[in-house]
Amino acid sequence: MFSRFTNALYNAVDALAPPLPLQEDFVWHWKSVTKFYTGKNASNKVPIELTSIPGHLMEMLSILEQEEKEVEMGNIGPCMEYIMQHKLLDTMCVLGSSDVPPGMKRYMFIFVTKMLKIIQQSLIPHVSVYIPIQNFIKLCGEVFAGPTESEEINFLQCICDKIKENPHLVNCFLANGEPGSRRNSKMETAIDSDSKMEAAAVAKEYALISSLLKLYESPDNDISVKARECLKTLCSCANDSAAMTVANFSCLSTVLTWHIISLYQNIPKTLKVHDLETPNLEEE
């Protein structure tokens, strides 16, 4: 209700005064969001729906969408440049992780998902974009059967759709984790090349696959099915090298194998082969 009132107020102001340049308007909305954390309400347990934050976030998305329509292909608009230079996505990930005010995590996932659908694909590999996106991925499935599962799977599905459109993006999300320490680097020089390859593969961090597998275990069948479809999309888009590495050095194969075993064990022992070949379709 409060968000609707806020949006109505914005429209009234726009009608009385000329609109600000997109970037100024965008920055104002973002500062209005962060202002919540510097005021007296920072520690409040008031649900986010009772604050003006959702309205500001939706306005930011509208501005981004308008900017993308106006900017030429291959160029970066001032609002997107502001996001990248001031590391807004990193800040949003922290806010989502804290979930303050309650519901912030949900709105952060909604914002990032819609932003990914708006921006050009060429921006995704940029370090200011894909690193915080990786951190958002790690938040997915953190809480089993959590209240934001729907937003989390929509976010991961958006990433998989982007990878399907441009398979080269798979390299951004099947990348090495944090660089090892110097001590580890010195130790690696003492082992042969085959062991080096194996050690590098083990060191890889497959956050996207791990999060999808967590949501695959969701008791919500819709979430589980979407996670399975995302895994299929991801595996089909991976190149041979990435696919082999994921199969050998992630728990994907193990989880899928156990699910197959579980399904097999649930087959009624009284079921006969001919019952499967010629099922009885007659109504009782």
Side-chain angles (χ1 to χ4, degrees):
M1 180 65 72
F2 189 81
S3 298
R4 293 178 183 176
F5 173 76
T6 305
N7 291 333
L9 184 61
Y10 294 152
N11 294 334
V13 171
D14 287 341
L16 296 174
L20 293 171
L22 289 181
Q23 184 182 4
E24 290 184 26
D25 201 12
F26 185 86
V27 173
W28 181 82
H29 283 292
W30 172 243
K31 289 184 176 180
S32 297
V33 171
T34 57
K35 187 178 180 181
F36 175 88
Y37 299 92
T38 59
K40 297 179 180 179
N41 297 325
S43 60
N44 280 358
K45 299 298 182 181
V46 177
I48 191 172
E49 289 79 8
L50 298 180
T51 71
S52 61
I53 292 177
H56 289 299
L57 292 174
M58 293 306 107
E59 287 296 321
M60 289 170 67
L61 286 171
S62 297
I63 293 170
L64 275 178
E65 190 170 11
Q66 182 180 345
E67 179 180 82
E68 283 299 315
K69 291 178 180 178
E70 296 176 358
V71 73
E72 294 182 5
M73 183 63 68
N75 293 336
I76 303 176
C79 296
M80 192 62 210
E81 189 173 358
Y82 181 86
I83 289 176
M84 297 166 71
Q85 287 183 349
H86 293 80
K87 299 183 178 180
L88 263 63
L89 294 179
D90 294 272
T91 303
M92 288 182 175
C93 187
V94 174
L95 297 180
S97 179
S98 67
D99 200 29
V100 176
M104 189 63 172
K105 184 177 182 180
R106 174 173 173 263
Y107 275 91
M108 288 295 93
F109 272 113
I110 291 174
F111 182 93
V112 176
T113 302
K114 291 185 177 180
M115 189 203 75
L116 284 175
K117 293 179 179 179
I118 292 172
I119 66 173
Q120 302 173 29
Q121 282 193 1
S122 59
L123 294 178
I124 295 177
H126 196 284
V127 67
S128 298
V129 177
Y130 89 84
I131 287 183
I133 292 300
Q134 282 276 30
N135 292 329
F136 267 104
I137 290 173
K138 294 174 187 177
L139 292 179
C140 298
E142 254 190 346
V143 180
F144 181 71
T148 59
E149 272 193 337
S150 179
E151 287 74 26
E152 291 170 15
I153 193 61
N154 288 338
F155 165 68
L156 296 178
Q157 194 171 33
C158 177
I159 292 176
C160 290
D161 288 341
K162 291 288 184 181
I163 292 174
K164 186 176 182 179
E165 294 172 9
N166 184 2
H168 293 293
L169 289 176
V170 76
N171 297 321
C172 293
F173 301 104
L174 295 181
N176 284 326
E178 294 296 324
S181 64
R182 292 184 180 180
R183 180 182 177 184
N184 290 338
S185 298
K186 291 179 180 179
M187 290 176 63
E188 287 181 1
T189 58
I191 57 179
D192 56 45
S193 58
D194 291 339
S195 298
K196 279 185 180 181
M197 292 177 63
E198 184 174 342
V202 172
K204 284 179 179 289
E205 183 179 9
Y206 302 104
L208 182 54
I209 291 179
S210 297
S211 294
L212 284 171
L213 288 174
K214 290 175 184 176
L215 292 175
Y216 182 52
E217 301 284 354
S218 172
D220 187 326
N221 186 62
D222 291 339
I223 301 295
S224 181
V225 169
K226 287 182 179 180
R228 183 184 65 198
E229 292 302 315
C230 286
L231 285 167
K232 286 170 59 179
T233 299
L234 190 61
C235 291
S236 64
C237 292
N239 54 53
D240 292 343
S241 176
M244 286 296 294
T245 305
V246 169
N248 291 328
F249 300 103
S250 78
C251 58
L252 175 62
S253 301
T254 304
V255 172
L256 294 181
T257 301
W258 276 109
H259 271 276
I260 293 173
I261 293 173
S262 177
L263 291 172
Y264 174 77
Q265 291 175 339
N266 288 330
I267 297 176
K269 294 182 179 180
T270 56
L271 189 66
K272 305 298 181 182
V273 175
H274 70 270
D275 293 332
L276 297 175
E277 295 175 347
T278 56
N280 184 12
L281 300 178
E282 295 181 2
E283 296 182 1
E284 296 183 358

